[in-house]
Amino acid sequence: MLRETYPFAEDSFSRFPSQSNIYGLCQAGEQELLAATLKGKVVCFRYQELQHKIRPVAKEVQFTYIPVDAEIVSIDAFNKSPPKSGLVVGITFVKDSGDKATPFLNIYCDYEPGSEFNLESIAQSCLNLELQFTPFHLYHTEVQCDEGGRETVFLLSGHDQRIHLYKENASLHQFEEQPVERLFPELQQLPSNVLWLDMLSIAGGRRLSAFGCQNGCVGLALVNQTGPEVLQSWRFQFDSPISSVLLFPLSCQTEPDQPSGERSVEMESYNLLVTSTIEMAVVYRDVEERGLSHSVCLSESDQWDAVLCALVIDLDFDGQKEVLLGTYGQELLCYKFQPAERRSDGQFQLQWRRSFKSPLLSIIYLDLTGDGLRELAVLTLKGLHILQHSLTSTADLVLKRLALRVSALTAGSEPESAKDQDAEEKDAPSEKEECAAPTPSS
């Protein structure tokens, strides 16, 4: 039985000239999306002010060196790590030359001062790399540099059962392929073609790395980024291709266990969400300590065909994250973790689901309108849906939280006032005694 009502209203829908795929949507900057279609078109989606109103605008961006007959496989973008600045866009595609198909990776980045974030200028500044493998997932992550700084790099999986690393050579103003084992030793000797990658930096200069393969294998590693050195690694075999893996932190409040009735907060743990094309989605709990030994299934997640995309975000603003799943069966599912008395127990329960008119391929949560409230972007086979929170219910929640905050501050100030009054009363008699004390005679 569903526990909550659907919290979104659809604000807009942009139909695309051809379909996309699970690698076809990415965030570009703070308030823009890039969506790639299979027939070589890239659409930039943003909100802008038109006639004194904020309106959605979908506009094709002419990225250079993408042939008319090209089929785009994947797209990704990132802002360079400080102190560098600028937007970098990566696009993989396959060019059909008749007798054979040739794959490419194009990396777009403008080094001209003032144009580093101008998408139109960036689209004209291209590094064109011919690939010797069919590309799959294009992913970016931040790594530690030898000199102690941070740098964002591209990782690209391919049909050659390898992950390829592309890192910027700042002196030459271009990106170069480098041996992946230098920075990512956990991505060597892969058992199959990797369909999805995810990484998460954690305390102590470490990271968690996860990958999901075409043969159903899931890999997880705990890595010390200094070195780097693999501290521990785990693998698990599913019976169907892995469509996504997603690492996320989760902290949950337990029931009152103190005389004061205060709720104790459990230590934050790191978890791994795994979705596959046939089986139920699974969350592995506390993977930093327990690896892949403790799993929780998301019930009914296999009832609407293959799960193709996933996202973990706090949708209801209660500080606890929800799990969103998008399926080929045209359903968006929302699960919430329900803790049990024991720290290691608990279940993810289905809160609500919403039907679309075509299969869901990708979902991103970002603030497109710049009002501080994020929108949910849902890429389907036919186009891009933008879903917004109800402004009325969100405003009511803000007012309720403010009232609770004021009440707490007021309650906290009353004991202070009482203490001050008691102190004054204690000091008052001593002052009178001082005044009444006889003056010694000379």
Side-chain angles (χ1 to χ4, degrees), residues 62-105:
Q62 300 291 338
F63 282 91
T64 57
Y65 294 101
I66 298 181
V68 178
D69 58 349
E71 182 175 305
I72 294 180
V73 179
S74 51
I75 187 170
D76 192 26
F78 62 82
N79 287 337
K80 293 182 183 180
S81 302
K84 298 178 182 178
S85 67
L87 178 67
V88 180
V89 179
I91 300 175
T92 70
F93 62 91
V94 177
K95 178 184 177 183
D96 188 359
S97 303
D99 54 339
K100 72 167 190 172
T102 308
F104 290 90
L105 166 63

Side-chain angles (χ1 to χ4, degrees), residues 13 46 52 92 100 119 148 160 170 226 247:
F13 172 69
R46 63 164 70 95
H52 306 292
T92 70
K100 72 167 190 172
L119 196 56
D160 56 354
T226 303
L247 291 157

Side-chain angles (χ1 to χ4, degrees), residues 218-238:
V218 171
L220 173 69
L222 177 63
V223 181
N224 183 352
Q225 297 195 68
T226 303
E229 177 189 6
V230 179
L231 303 176
Q232 282 182 286
S233 63
W234 305 266
R235 290 191 180 180
F236 189 84
Q237 187 67 44
F238 283 76

Side-chain angles (χ1 to χ4, degrees), residues 83-345:
K84 298 178 182 178
S85 67
L87 178 67
V88 180
V89 179
I91 300 175
T92 70
F93 62 91
V94 177
K95 178 184 177 183
D96 188 359
S97 303
D99 54 339
K100 72 167 190 172
T102 308
F104 290 90
L105 166 63
N106 284 3
I107 298 179
Y108 299 87
C109 178
D110 196 331
Y111 291 91
E112 284 294 322
S115 300
E116 300 95 336
F117 294 95
N118 185 317
L119 196 56
E120 298 293 336
S121 298
I122 292 168
Q124 306 304 310
S125 305
C126 175
L127 171 66
N128 181 248
L129 301 172
E130 183 174 344
L131 305 176
Q132 303 303 315
F133 58 91
T134 302
F136 293 142
H137 187 205
L138 182 61
Y139 176 78
H140 70 270
T141 188
E142 198 173 51
V143 295
Q144 287 186 0
C145 301
D146 295 334
E147 57 273 16
R150 311 284 296 179
E151 187 168 356
T152 305
V153 299
F154 275 128
L155 292 172
L156 176 61
S157 64
H159 88 297
D160 56 354
Q161 292 190 198
R162 293 178 57 200
I163 304 295
H164 300 263
L165 165 66
Y166 298 91
K167 186 172 179 289
E168 184 181 23
N169 185 328
S171 61
L172 297 178
H173 285 188
Q174 66 180 31
F175 280 73
E176 299 173 342
E177 182 172 4
Q178 297 188 4
V180 73
E181 59 271 13
R182 287 185 186 175
L183 298 176
F184 302 93
E186 69 273 29
L187 298 180
Q188 300 179 85
Q189 299 176 345
L190 301 171
S192 176
N193 300 331
V194 171
L195 300 182
W196 204 269
L197 275 169
D198 194 38
M199 296 184 182
L200 181 67
S201 293
I202 61 176
R206 299 171 300 160
R207 71 167 173 261
L208 288 164
S209 299
F211 60 81
C213 296
Q214 194 170 7
N215 72 346
C217 180
V218 171
L220 173 69
L222 177 63
V223 181
N224 183 352
Q225 297 195 68
T226 303
E229 177 189 6
V230 179
L231 303 176
Q232 282 182 286
S233 63
W234 305 266
R235 290 191 180 180
F236 189 84
Q237 187 67 44
F238 283 76
D239 293 329
S240 59
I242 303 302
S243 54
S244 69
V245 292
L246 187 58
L247 291 157
F248 64 96
L250 184 68
S251 59
C252 54
Q253 292 180 324
T254 57
E255 292 303 314
D257 59 357
Q258 304 174 19
S260 63
E262 293 181 0
R263 298 173 72 88
S264 60
V265 179
E266 146 184 348
M267 290 290 289
E268 188 175 64
S269 64
Y270 297 103
N271 306 270
L272 174 63
L273 171 65
V274 178
T275 68
S276 62
T277 55
I278 295 177
E279 299 155 85
M280 278 193 291
V282 174
V283 172
Y284 291 96
R285 300 272 287 128
D286 197 9
V287 294
E288 182 187 359
E289 300 294 333
R290 307 175 69 169
L292 301 178
S293 64
H294 182 55
S295 61
V296 179
C297 291
L298 276 60
S299 61
E300 300 183 54
S301 58
D302 59 345
Q303 299 299 303
W304 291 279
D305 214 318
V307 175
L308 296 183
C309 53
L311 192 62
V312 180
I313 47 175
D314 179 14
L315 281 178
D316 54 8
F317 313 115
D318 66 347
Q320 305 302 314
K321 294 183 178 180
E322 288 78 42
V323 175
L324 291 182
L325 303 178
T327 73
Y328 191 82
Q330 306 176 184
E331 295 290 323
L332 178 65
L333 312 175
C334 177
Y335 290 82
K336 193 174 187 68
F337 184 70
Q338 305 295 332
E341 292 182 4
R342 291 177 52 193
R343 180 179 182 272
S344 60
D345 292 339

